[in-house]
Amino acid sequence: MVTPHAGTHKSRIYRLLNPLLLWRLRHVSERVYVVYLAVLVGVLAGLAAVGLKLAIHWQQARLATAVTEPNRVFALSLYPIVGISLTVLVTRYLLHGNLGRGIGPIIYNTARENAIVPRSKLYSQLITAFLTVSFGGSAGTEAPISVTGAAIGSNAARVLRAGRRRRRLLTGCGAAAGIAAIFNAPIAGVLFAVETILLELPAQYFIPLLISSATATVVSKALYAGQPFALITHSWVLNTVPFYVVLGPLTALLAVYMIRMYHWFDHFWERWPGLRWQKVLAGGATLGLLIFLFPPLYGEGYNIVELLLSGHAQAITDGSLFSVYGDNNVWLLILLVFFSMMMKVVATSVTVGAGGNGGMFGSSLVAGALCGFLFARLVNMTGLVAIPEVHFVVLGMAGVLAGVVHAPLTAIFLIAEITGGYALFVPLMLVTSFSYLITKHFEPYSVYTRKLTLKGVDVYANRDHDLLSRLDLHRLLDTDFLALRPSATLGELVDVFRHAHRNVFPVVGQNGKLRGIISLDMVRDTLFDGAHYQTTKLSELMRSPAAIIHPTDTVEHCLDLLERTESTALPVCDEEGNYLGFIVKTTILARYRRELIEEGQA
């Protein structure tokens, strides 16, 4: 609900911007204006991403040095409870319980709500993600940053009075810029927005998306190192191709496991109504225990990926219970990596379910890195062949990300960009293709859209469905149909036919309820029987309509009813049977055609 103060503040902003907007209309072309907006969104989203990353690293450094080494493992187990508790407090008292975690709500806002993102997401995601992750919550910051960027784009468009399509474009620009700023990967940012947020878009949208992503990358590069890890590689070995083919299905199985486990836990936590402290304590204690047993689950986990890429995998056991058995026990390392890989999705699910904020994007990368390393290390331990473990670390990251997020192009180009080149491009295509296709077979929807689909929102529906979903049934309602009483005579109907431009009439009782319909075809033979003009009542001639439409029905459902009943118009009645008007097929098709033209001109 908008308060009077909020409305006054909003109108004041519009009054201040009006001269600028008028100047723009006179002196700046539409294409150049869109470029300016893309740059603006890129700068703001880049600053938000850099600010969040710097704040998290600063806080984690302070917490790490606050306790001595012997007690650090216990402190790391307790910190997440503090972070989740603070996040819940902020969510309850500052955000009034409305946080909207993850990419799913943004996908829904873009696909079904004209890309209108709540203003609270301009700051809510940053604050809660900082509190959760900086205290060791086992989740990634990519989703909160991408959501913040999308909110920046959407609300900038609203303030500048941009239309729905321009708002949708800027929402995608913000999401792309957020991902680009995190990894210094502008192409991956664009593809992420295309594959997960916008889904379908005209070709001309790519230029603003590229500009916004590139701008955010420049901001990130200037203020912060950006990407959490880097690998410089020059080539891949031909005889390792069979192992790439095997790694693809393995990462797909891990992706399917992660999607299903994440949503199982999501359903489990939904049984705890509201932001109850029992849920916070239970989730925090569970997460603390997991981190105590498997320290790689602490925080985002990118430090573990850095160790794997630098060839210091054995250092993963440092600070864990396994370290007491020595640094050279390879099987202990294998066990720790395996359980950390399997428990990463559990830790993330517990973090988010207990009240924290974060996403599966980063967790997918970490689990994929562990999967790739585990596979390569086991192959090398056979002594039959030697394969480069560091290559399989990044290939595992791409494979699991492609499966979990259902974004193979994002996975390919993200890894290609953060490895400093495209030397692994062919292996990346092999692994991600197998992973995506197999995961898609078992899980048709991504970790972001599965929950929306279970609620009946199919964001991957075709373009026709998308356009029809934008039509408002109430605006299509035609009330220009003359209603007749059941007691009216045939003669009165003949008089009405002489002056009416419709050939269908609703028959409505005195209580406003629809009793039936009369059409010209139904009474054509009776019209010439003048002897019955005064004796025949409409109640004797009317028939029940082939179908009745309700105000809550979708336009697509209405069109389906019209097609199945071979009708040109159908009556609309509320749940109590009161007549409201008619839905006419030609009206729907005309409005659909207008939407189609506007979509092409956007």
Side-chain angles (χ1 to χ4, degrees):
M1 180 177 179
V2 179
T3 63
H5 176 74
T8 303
H9 181 66
K10 183 178 179 180
S11 62
R12 188 181 300 119
I13 292 176
Y14 285 148
R15 284 199 300 271
L16 292 174
L17 287 175
N18 272 337
L20 178 62
L21 294 176
L22 291 173
W23 180 88
R24 195 281 298 178
L25 288 172
R26 295 191 184 103
H27 302 285
V28 181
S29 67
E30 185 67 19
R31 290 187 177 182
V32 175
Y33 181 55
V34 171
V35 171
Y36 288 159
L37 293 180
V39 172
L40 174 64
V41 171
V43 170
L44 295 177
L47 290 174
V50 170
L52 179 59
K53 281 293 186 179
L54 288 175
I56 288 175
H57 290 169
W58 173 78
Q59 176 75 341
Q60 286 180 337
R62 289 188 59 195
L63 294 176
T65 57
V67 292
T68 58
E69 183 63 38
N71 300 319
R72 189 165 297 165
V73 65
F74 299 101
L76 296 182
S77 302
L78 296 175
Y79 285 152
I81 301 178
V82 177
I84 293 174
S85 299
L86 292 174
T87 302
V88 169
L89 286 173
V90 169
T91 302
R92 170 176 287 181
Y93 296 108
L94 180 62
L95 305 175
H96 308 292
N98 300 317
L99 179 56
R101 299 170 178 84
I103 300 291
I106 296 299
I107 297 175
Y108 180 80
N109 293 145
T110 305
R112 295 290 179 266
E113 295 187 346
N114 296 325
I116 297 177
V117 181
R119 290 184 178 86
S120 61
K121 291 189 182 294
L122 292 168
Y123 56 87
S124 62
Q125 298 293 314
L126 295 178
I127 296 173
T128 54
F130 165 74
L131 294 173
T132 299
V133 179
S134 66
F135 280 92
S138 188
T141 57
E142 291 78 11
I145 290 176
S146 184
V147 170
T148 302
I152 290 172
S154 173
N155 285 281
R158 292 169 68 183
V159 170
L160 296 173
R161 298 184 178 181
R164 172 171 56 84
R165 289 166 182 80
R166 197 69 67 219
R167 185 167 59 245
R168 185 168 179 258
L169 169 60
L170 293 179
T171 300
C173 286
I179 295 297
I182 297 173
F183 297 105
N184 279 352
I187 298 178
V190 171
L191 293 174
F192 175 79
V194 172
E195 290 187 298
T196 61
I197 306 295
L198 299 177
L199 304 180
E200 285 187 354
L201 76 166
Q204 60 265 32
Y205 274 26
F206 277 96
I207 300 302
L209 285 170
L210 285 169
I211 292 172
S212 186
S213 290
T215 303
T217 304
V218 170
V219 171
S220 176
K221 195 76 172 178
L223 302 178
Y224 172 65
Q227 61 197 51
F229 34 78
L231 164 71
I232 304 299
T233 185
H234 300 288
S235 63
W236 54 277
V237 183
L238 185 62
N239 61 7
T240 56
V241 170
F243 297 101
Y244 303 148
V245 175
V246 176
L247 181 63
L250 288 178
T251 56
L253 293 176
L254 180 57
V256 171
Y257 160 77
M258 294 182 73
I259 293 174
R260 293 182 177 179
M261 187 63 69
Y262 183 82
H263 286 284
W264 185 90
F265 272 100
D266 182 65
H267 180 68
F268 172 79
W269 289 112
E270 282 185 346
R271 299 174 187 173
W272 300 55
L275 300 170
R276 293 193 172 182
W277 288 108
Q278 300 96 315
K279 180 166 64 174
V280 176
L281 294 176
T286 302
L287 181 59
L289 178 62
L290 288 173
I291 292 174
F292 180 76
L293 296 174
F294 311 109
L297 300 179
Y298 181 83
E300 289 178 297
Y302 286 161
N303 60 316
I304 302 301
V305 180
E306 291 177 352
L307 291 175
L308 296 177
L309 293 178
S310 62
H312 299 96
Q314 201 64 42
I316 294 177
T317 60
D318 293 348
S320 69
L321 298 177
F322 299 92
S323 62
V324 299
Y325 297 101
D327 293 336
N328 297 319
N329 193 323
V330 66
W331 284 109
L332 289 178
L333 174 63
I334 294 296
L335 287 175
L336 179 60
V337 169
F338 174 78
F339 283 109
S340 297
M341 176 186 72
M342 300 300 290
M343 290 294 107
K344 183 61 179 176
V345 63
V346 177
T348 301
S349 302
V350 171
T351 299
V352 176
N357 189 19
M360 281 293 294
F361 193 105
S363 298
S364 301
L365 292 175
V366 174
L370 294 172
C371 177
F373 167 78
L374 184 63
F375 173 74
R377 177 58 63 94
L378 289 174
V379 170
N380 287 334
M381 287 174 62
T382 64
L384 300 176
V385 65
I387 59 177
E389 293 179 353
V390 71
H391 287 189
F392 282 81
V393 169
V394 295
L395 293 174
M397 293 165 64
V400 175
L401 181 64
V404 171
V405 183
H406 282 197
L409 293 177
T410 300
I412 291 173
F413 281 90
L414 175 65
I415 300 302
E417 287 184 285
I418 66 177
T419 55
Y422 293 85
L424 294 178
F425 205 77
V426 172
L428 284 170
M429 289 191 293
L430 288 173
V431 174
T432 54
S433 297
F434 278 114
S435 178
Y436 173 71
L437 291 174
I438 296 173
T439 305
K440 188 81 171 176
H441 174 75
F442 290 103
E443 285 294 333
Y445 299 95
S446 73
V447 71
Y448 298 140
T449 58
R450 193 172 189 263
K451 186 174 181 179
L452 292 175
T453 304
L454 292 176
K455 293 182 177 181
V457 180
D458 188 359
V459 296
Y460 289 114
N462 56 35
R463 191 183 185 193
D464 289 338
H465 178 89
D466 183 43
L467 288 175
L468 287 173
S469 68
R470 299 177 189 172
L471 304 184
D472 187 353
L473 182 66
H474 297 86
R475 294 187 177 182
L476 297 173
L477 186 65
D478 196 334
T479 58
D480 190 22
F481 282 76
L482 182 61
L484 302 174
R485 297 296 183 192
S487 58
T489 63
L490 177 61
E492 292 175 309
L493 178 61
V494 172
D495 290 335
V496 169
F497 268 131
R498 290 190 181 124
H499 304 93
H501 64 280
R502 302 284 190 184
N503 62 359
V504 177
F505 301 91
V507 181
V508 181
Q510 291 184 351
N511 57 0
K513 297 186 182 300
L514 181 70
R515 299 284 300 278
I517 60 171
I518 293 276
S519 70
L520 179 61
D521 293 335
M522 291 164 53
V523 297
R524 188 182 302 276
D525 295 335
T526 315
L527 288 178
F528 300 100
D529 188 2
H532 294 87
Y533 275 12
Q534 302 302 321
T535 58
T536 302
K537 305 294 184 182
L538 295 190
S539 57
E540 304 172 40
L541 300 173
M542 68 183 185
R543 297 179 187 176
S544 298
I548 293 179
I549 295 172
H550 299 288
T552 55
D553 291 339
T554 63
V555 174
E556 188 174 18
H557 177 65
C558 296
L559 196 58
D560 181 58
L561 285 178
L562 288 164
E563 291 289 344
R564 285 195 283 116
T565 59
E566 298 182 352
S567 305
T568 58
L570 286 174
V572 180
C573 298
D574 61 18
E575 297 300 329
E576 298 177 355
N578 296 314
Y579 168 74
L580 301 176
F582 269 79
I583 289 294
V584 183
K585 182 190 288 187
T586 55
T587 304
I588 295 178
L589 296 179
R591 182 57 190 159
Y592 171 82
R593 182 174 179 273
R594 193 186 313 169
E595 283 284 331
L596 198 62
I597 293 172
E598 291 177 2
E599 181 79 13
Q601 293 175 345

